[in-house]
């Protein structure tokens, strides 16, 4: 076959506007670097296609070196992106570069002029090849197709709507894109700048990408391998590649699905400390190994953002904005799937190795609780492995805890009562009183625990959660058969006791009540009404409608206690004061001058 070199031709691209490129430049100002992402993506596609054809036997030549190279000529002010992929014939240039690109441009301009929010339209529109004009005064293509008898082709365009197509100079199969960088974009003539962009987007692509003689993607993407062949160490090393100098992850999940969408990835569980740091290292989203974003908020469920790692799916479109991604039905399915997988994995570890699970619980509990509060689907699964720790240090699942305590902790109306403390130190006395009754108290002192309690309470039938100091123990779990012996005091005596106590306390937000409790309980007990306290807590965290609830402390006078009985006779104000102060101490409410006065008075008693 005799092949003639291409005759020079010039032509006009049939678009209705002369000024596509100024629009592209201006509108994409903040995102100029994506030109490189687009050109390398094209180079990768061309290389991928060639290896595919080769594997099918449709290309029989040598594949040779498939490295994609980026080079900068500072003097000539050019950037060249070059690949050894399948190249283009002149026909293909006419079809794919002139027609497709420029008809795309037309559509772009149309949409741009209609869109209210330019960012929105830009995000949704893949600029592809001609994003090159974002940084270039002129763009050249030198290409030679792999096809037998193909001749090299040279295409140039200066950003107007006319192009030149002529015989090219390329001698090896593949394509070079030469950008003549415009004066406003000279920052991109710095190799380091380009290298950073390349490392950001192409760290894990399947063909070597080289700049300044250095390959920027030496590490293979672990998520592309079959999980069965990967050692623990590899997962850990890969984690360090993603997040250098991080603490070891706790464990990880290898995601691998073909149907109903394709998705691969590895999610790591990092150690999550007491609270949630929004600036932590985040999940990286990839499409065919090309980085898309680590701004995954609203794409994956919020609680999953506490995890780290990589998600890769060709079903996540490359050239779209975040607002588009959020409403994309594939993306929704994907996030539902990941949620399920994560829950399944946790359940698996829980079932296979309860000890390991308990060991790591402190580190993952925040994640699990956050998930349960915010994601119904996750709740349904996590219900089985949520661990609750009692003040005795033992871990229970919800079901185990109920089995263990329901017998003792069901009140006369058949309500199951869960007793908890949010501060085992401050509420020690109350815990002890409950333990003495044979009750088990849960330690709920985590960052999200007060939210979780509200949530669990709504889910659990005929149950009530009560903080251990929210009432006296007989009232927390009221029993028919444990009626206290009636107090020996009559009504006038009780009234005079109350006024005696009110007289020794200066503040007003106290309410006194007499109550027949056990003799072994303190003479005076302060309780904090569960409902009022929760309203106050909700207010503090921004809920509750802004109404400020003054918290009234209820002070219970134990009319079965000898000290109170004696006081009813003696009406000794000093003793009353001492008893109140002791009660305040148990709640860590005795402070400052009052505390000093109490100590001095008490020391005085001993002298
Ligand atoms: P897309 O990549 O979405 O198809 P582009 O505007 O990026 O859109 O590219 C248009 C077409 O130009 C590609 O589909 C491809 O046929 C051709 N092309 C672009 N770059 C190359 C390249 N480096 N090698 C071979 N063909 C290319
Ligand atoms: Mg492209």
């Amino acid at each position: 076959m005799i092949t003639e070199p291409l005759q020079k031709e010039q032509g006009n691209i049939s678009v209705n506007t002369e000024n596509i490129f100024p629009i592209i430049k201006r509108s994409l100002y903040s995102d100029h670097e994506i030109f490189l992402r687009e050109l390398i993506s094209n180079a990768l596609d061309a290389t991928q296609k060639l290896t595919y054809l080769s594997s099918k036997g449709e290309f029989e030549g040598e594949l040779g070196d498939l490295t994609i190279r980026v080079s900068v000529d500072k003097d000539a002010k050019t950037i060249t992106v070059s690949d050894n992929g399948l190249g283009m014939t002149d026909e293909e240039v006419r079809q794919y570069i002139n027609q497709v690109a420029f008809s795309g441009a037309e559509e772009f301009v149309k949409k741009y002029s209609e869109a209210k929010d330019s960012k929105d339209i830009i995000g949704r529109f893949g600029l592809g090849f001609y994003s090159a004009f974002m940084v270039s005064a002129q763009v050249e293509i030198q290409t030679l197709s792999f096809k037998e008898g193909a001749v090299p082709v040279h295409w140039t365009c200066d950003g107007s709507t006319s192009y030149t197509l002529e015989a090219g100079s390329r001698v090896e199969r593949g394509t070079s894109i030469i950008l003549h960088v415009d004066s406003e974009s000279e920052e991109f003539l710095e190799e380091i700048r380009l290298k950073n962009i390349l490392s950001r987007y192409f760290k894990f692509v399947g063909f070597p990408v080289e700049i300044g003689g250095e390959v920027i993607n030496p590490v293979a993407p672990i998520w592309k391998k079959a999980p069965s062949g990967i050692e623990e160490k590899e997962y850990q090393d890969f984690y360090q590649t993603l997040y250098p100098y991080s603490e070891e992850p706790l464990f990880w999940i290898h995601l691998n699905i073909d149907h109903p969408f394709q998705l691969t990835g590895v999610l790591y569980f990092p150690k999550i400390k007491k609270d949630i740091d929004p600036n932590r290292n985040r999940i990286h989203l990839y499409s065919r190994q090309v980085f898309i974003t680590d701004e995954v908020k609203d794409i994956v469920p919020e609680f999953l953002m506490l995890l780290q790692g990589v998600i890769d799916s060709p079903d996540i479109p490359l050239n779209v904005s975040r607002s588009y991604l959020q409403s994309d039905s594939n993306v929704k399915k994907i996030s539902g799937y990941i949620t399920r997988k994560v829950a399944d994995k946790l359940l698996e570890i829980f079932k296979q190795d309860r000890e390991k699970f308990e060991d790591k619980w402190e580190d993952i509990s925040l994640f699990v609780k956050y998930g349960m509060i915010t994601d119904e689907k996750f709740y349904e699964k996590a219900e089985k492995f949520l661990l609750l720790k009692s003040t005795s240090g033992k871990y229970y699942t919800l079901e185990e805890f109920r089995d263990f305590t329901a017998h003792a902790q069901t009140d006369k109306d058949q309500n199951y009562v869960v007793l908890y403390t949010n501060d085992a130190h401050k509420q020690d006395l109350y815990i002890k009183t409950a333990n003495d009754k044979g009750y088990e108290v849960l330690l709920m002192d985590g960052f999200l625990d007060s939210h979780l309690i509200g949530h669990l309470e709504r889910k659990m039938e005929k149950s009530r959660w009560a903080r251990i100091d929210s009432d006296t123990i007989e009232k927390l779990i009221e029993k028919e058969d444990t009626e206290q012996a009636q107090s020996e005091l009559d009504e006038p005596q009780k009234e005079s006791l109350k006024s005696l106590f009110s007289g020794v306390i200066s503040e007003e937000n106290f309410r006194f009540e007499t109550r027949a409790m056990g003799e072994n309980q303190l003479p005076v007990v302060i309780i904090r009404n569960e409902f009022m306290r929760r309203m106050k807590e909700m207010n503090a965290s921004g809920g509750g409608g802004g109404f400020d609830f003054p918290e009234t402390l209820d002070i219970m006078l134990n009319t079965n206690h000898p000290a109170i009985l004696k006081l009813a006779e003696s009406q000794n104000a000093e003793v009353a004061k001492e008893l109140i102060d002791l009660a305040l101490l148990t709640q860590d409410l005795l402070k400052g001058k009052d505390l000093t006065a109490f100590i001095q008075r008490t020391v005085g008693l001993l002298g």
Side-chain angles (χ1 to χ4, degrees):
M1 187 160 112
I2 302 155
T3 46
E4 294 289 320
L6 189 68
Q7 294 298 305
K8 180 164 178 166
E9 73 178 56
Q10 281 178 321
N12 280 312
I13 296 123
S14 57
V15 286
N16 300 328
T17 174
E18 290 290 322
N19 47 12
I20 298 161
F21 299 110
I23 292 174
I24 292 174
K25 279 186 182 167
R26 194 171 18 140
S27 59
L28 291 158
Y29 189 75
S30 61
D31 246 355
H32 272 178
E33 65 177 43
I34 69 157
F35 82 91
L36 194 56
R37 187 184 77 179
E38 295 296 334
L39 296 183
I40 301 286
S41 295
N42 286 349
L44 286 163
D45 286 348
T47 311
Q48 176 67 51
K49 282 177 196 159
L50 187 72
T51 56
Y52 176 76
L53 291 174
S54 171
S55 72
K56 292 256 155 192
E58 286 173 40
F59 169 64
E60 290 176 341
E62 285 290 312
L63 284 173
D65 177 15
L66 295 177
T67 305
I68 292 157
R69 292 191 170 82
V70 179
S71 57
V72 181
D73 185 333
K74 271 190 141 173
D75 298 328
K77 300 197 171 156
T78 58
I79 299 170
T80 302
V81 176
S82 156
D83 66 67
N84 297 322
L86 44 57
M88 283 178 276
T89 63
D90 57 321
E91 253 328 296
E92 286 165 338
V93 173
R94 284 190 197 97
Q95 195 179 342
Y96 300 133
I97 299 296
N98 293 346
Q99 272 180 10
V100 176
F102 288 101
S103 64
E106 198 174 359
E107 195 188 339
F108 175 81
V109 170
K110 193 161 151 275
K111 286 195 178 162
Y112 182 77
S113 58
E114 285 165 3
K116 284 180 218 81
D117 180 3
S118 65
K119 264 212 141 75
D120 200 44
I121 173 72
I122 290 149
R124 255 162 46 198
F125 199 87
L127 282 172
F129 164 74
Y130 57 115
S131 63
F133 287 99
M134 287 169 18
V135 297
S136 312
Q138 195 198 0
V139 177
E140 292 179 64
I141 303 174
Q142 289 280 8
T143 183
L144 175 58
S145 168
F146 77 102
K147 287 178 184 161
E148 211 172 310
V151 294
V153 176
H154 182 210
W155 178 92
T156 48
C157 178
D158 64 1
S160 70
T161 50
S162 60
Y163 66 87
T164 309
L165 198 60
E166 60 189 326
S169 58
R170 193 165 169 117
V171 289
E172 285 178 326
R173 177 203 73 223
T175 304
S176 298
I177 312 287
I178 302 128
L179 310 181
H180 295 265
V181 174
D182 64 32
S183 56
E184 286 153 46
S185 308
E186 286 182 7
E187 58 180 296
F188 294 110
L189 292 170
E190 299 299 332
E191 205 171 82
I192 185 75
R193 176 89 165 90
L194 297 180
K195 193 174 165 185
N196 286 339
I197 302 170
L198 292 176
S199 304
R200 185 167 154 78
Y201 290 107
F202 302 105
K203 213 187 213 157
F204 299 113
V205 290
F207 299 101
V209 177
E210 193 185 282
I211 183 165
E214 199 186 320
V215 173
I216 57 101
N217 55 334
V219 179
I222 200 170
W223 70 88
K224 284 282 155 199
K225 298 189 195 169
S228 55
I230 310 176
E231 311 260 318
E232 288 220 345
K233 173 95 170 56
E234 283 181 75
Y235 282 111
Q236 279 164 353
D237 290 348
F238 190 70
Y239 182 74
Q240 294 299 329
T241 311
L242 293 174
Y243 313 104
Y245 310 109
S246 294
E247 252 187 280
E248 267 186 27
L250 296 167
F251 41 80
W252 45 85
I253 303 174
H254 199 132
L255 303 165
N256 199 340
I257 188 170
D258 280 329
H259 189 77
F261 45 80
Q262 281 183 41
L263 180 135
T264 48
V266 177
L267 289 179
Y268 291 91
F269 280 76
K271 286 192 174 162
I272 300 166
K273 292 301 166 205
K274 280 275 172 203
D275 52 12
I276 296 166
D277 172 10
N279 295 320
R280 59 177 312 111
N281 288 316
R282 292 171 294 198
I283 294 174
H284 299 180
L285 204 59
Y286 283 76
S287 178
R288 297 180 200 279
Q289 293 158 249
V290 177
F291 176 81
I292 303 177
T293 182
D294 59 1
E295 299 267 325
V296 293
K297 191 171 177 341
D298 303 322
I299 298 171
V300 303
E302 205 169 339
F303 75 102
L304 287 181
M305 289 178 56
L306 296 174
L307 302 184
Q308 297 180 310
V310 173
I311 297 169
D312 187 347
S313 174
D315 294 310
I316 299 173
L318 181 63
N319 286 309
V320 296
S321 70
R322 245 156 42 82
S323 60
Y324 180 81
L325 278 182
Q326 286 158 31
S327 58
D328 185 89
S329 66
N330 265 331
V331 172
K332 283 216 179 80
K333 269 187 251 155
I334 286 168
S335 85
Y337 164 77
I338 297 169
T339 301
R340 206 171 66 232
K341 274 307 245 203
V342 168
D344 288 347
K345 176 71 179 186
L346 289 170
L347 186 60
E348 182 191 308
I349 299 175
F350 170 74
K351 281 186 175 157
Q352 281 176 358
D353 194 344
R354 170 87 177 238
E355 211 175 308
K356 173 176 168 187
F357 194 81
E358 287 191 5
D359 267 358
K360 311 215 165 180
W361 179 250
E362 289 288 315
D363 292 304
I364 61 168
S365 67
L366 191 70
F367 167 81
V368 174
K369 289 168 183 174
Y370 193 19
M372 290 180 81
I373 294 166
T374 55
D375 191 300
E376 193 52 35
K377 286 261 154 57
F378 187 78
Y379 179 96
E380 283 164 21
K381 301 221 164 200
E383 212 176 18
K384 298 187 193 76
F385 56 75
L386 171 77
L387 290 183
L388 302 165
K389 193 180 189 175
S390 84
T391 51
S392 62
K394 199 167 160 3
Y395 281 113
Y396 302 87
T397 63
L398 275 170
E399 196 185 289
E400 288 165 356
F401 192 71
R402 192 165 190 150
D403 286 349
F404 181 65
T405 57
H407 176 69
Q409 296 181 205
T410 300
D411 70 13
K412 61 181 169 47
D413 302 318
Q414 298 310 308
N415 280 315
Y416 170 55
V417 184
V418 183
L419 300 175
Y420 70 94
T421 172
N422 70 329
D423 190 329
H425 281 290
K426 272 194 194 173
Q427 293 152 10
D428 183 70
L429 187 77
Y430 298 83
I431 296 167
K432 186 174 179 305
T433 313
N435 288 158
D436 287 348
K437 282 242 170 206
Y439 301 154
E440 191 80 345
V441 179
L442 288 179
L443 187 59
M444 301 295 285
D445 58 357
F447 182 65
L448 293 174
D449 282 353
S450 62
H451 292 273
L452 181 69
I453 287 168
H455 208 76
L456 291 173
E457 208 170 36
R458 281 192 293 279
K459 294 274 180 187
M460 291 164 63
E461 271 168 37
K462 284 208 75 120
S463 82
R464 180 160 55 80
W465 286 64
R467 200 167 92 179
I468 197 65
D469 61 345
S470 63
D471 211 328
T472 54
I473 198 71
E474 294 82 4
K475 292 275 176 186
L476 281 175
I477 307 176
E478 269 188 289
K479 302 276 183 176
E480 227 126 28
D481 54 347
T482 56
E483 248 173 58
Q484 289 298 322
Q486 277 307 305
S487 143
E488 295 155 34
L489 300 177
D490 58 22
E491 283 311 312
Q493 281 176 307
K494 288 179 185 168
E495 285 310 312
S496 79
L497 261 178
K498 283 195 228 171
S499 56
L500 170 68
F501 276 97
S502 329
V504 296
I505 202 149
S506 48
E507 277 141 279
E508 281 172 2
N509 55 341
F510 291 97
R511 198 164 48 205
F512 291 93
E513 209 178 292
T514 54
R515 192 178 278 183
M517 299 182 233
E519 267 184 57
N520 52 355
Q521 288 192 49
L522 288 187
V524 179
V525 177
I526 292 179
I527 64 172
R528 313 184 82 166
N529 183 275
E530 183 79 18
F531 175 75
M532 294 302 279
R533 200 199 67 243
R534 284 197 201 182
M535 291 306 257
K536 206 175 159 67
E537 281 168 2
M538 253 166 66
N539 251 344
S541 65
F547 182 77
D548 188 27
F549 286 90
E551 193 189 358
T552 307
L553 292 180
D554 288 311
I555 303 189
M556 301 293 152
L557 308 175
N558 182 358
T559 53
N560 277 338
H561 196 282
I564 295 292
L565 294 177
K566 241 163 115 184
L567 208 54
E569 295 280 306
S570 69
Q571 292 285 318
N572 184 330
E574 270 177 38
V575 174
K577 179 78 181 150
E578 193 77 3
L579 290 178
I580 289 262
D581 282 355
L582 282 170
L584 288 170
L585 265 184
T586 65
Q587 275 276 1
D588 199 22
L589 288 171
L590 193 62
K591 304 232 156 105
K593 285 192 171 39
D594 293 334
L595 179 59
T596 308
F598 167 79
I599 290 171
Q600 284 172 341
R601 219 170 50 232
T602 308
V603 169
L605 287 177
L606 299 173

